[in-house]
Amino acid sequence: MPTPRVEIHYCTQCRWLLRAGWMAQELLTTFSDKLGEVALIPQTGGIFAVYVDGDLVYDRKAEGRFPEMKEIKQLVRNKVAPEMGLGHSDTAVKSKEQQDASSECVECNSGSAVPEA
């Protein structure tokens, strides 16, 4: 059975490479023997989306916010190793109202917040 591929699509205009890279590092550390590949896919237009084997598991635009790392770990785990425990990352995720309002990008005309450096 081939090992799973995770793709993190991120917006280069919004300068979200560091966020995507950090997320890739966290996934590779958590799922070191479960993942075959984590790919960073540069795009434009305010995208920040995560796919597992071609299936969309998280889309920033659809959710209206960036995901918490534990949320992404839970979504990836559910696809690649549902039996795996995540320790403290298995706790509840904050509601949308509790999320940071910095998930929009001026350069992509998708909001008014300052893009991440």
Side-chain angles (χ1 to χ4, degrees):
M1 181 172 142
T3 53
R5 173 187 167 97
V6 173
E7 294 179 1
I8 302 171
H9 297 242
Y10 68 94
C11 179
T12 57
Q13 294 171 308
C14 302
R15 303 179 194 273
W16 289 338
L17 171 61
L18 290 178
R19 184 183 298 258
W22 169 72
M23 188 171 289
Q25 176 183 329
E26 286 290 317
L27 291 173
L28 286 168
T29 300
T30 301
F31 303 102
S32 58
D33 61 341
K34 306 275 192 246
L35 297 177
E37 179 179 5
V38 176
L40 301 180
I41 313 294
Q43 295 184 316
T44 58
I47 190 167
F48 197 91
V50 179
Y51 294 81
V52 177
D53 286 335
D55 295 330
L56 179 66
V57 295
Y58 195 90
D59 181 12
R60 182 198 65 83
K61 284 187 178 181
E63 296 294 327
R65 61 181 175 81
F66 279 104
E68 287 190 34
M69 191 63 241
K70 65 181 168 183
E71 183 176 13
I72 289 299
K73 286 182 180 182
Q74 290 169 355
L75 293 167
V76 170
R77 182 268 319 267
N78 293 347
K79 288 283 205 179
V80 303
E83 72 289 346
M84 181 179 173
L86 293 174
H88 68 277
S89 290
D90 268 334
T91 59
V93 177
K94 292 179 184 176
S95 69
K96 286 185 180 182
E97 292 77 34
Q98 295 170 319
Q99 292 293 321
D100 183 8
S102 66
S103 64
E104 299 298 327
C105 174
V106 175
E107 291 185 36
C108 295
N109 299 318
S110 63
S112 59
V114 177
E116 183 180 291

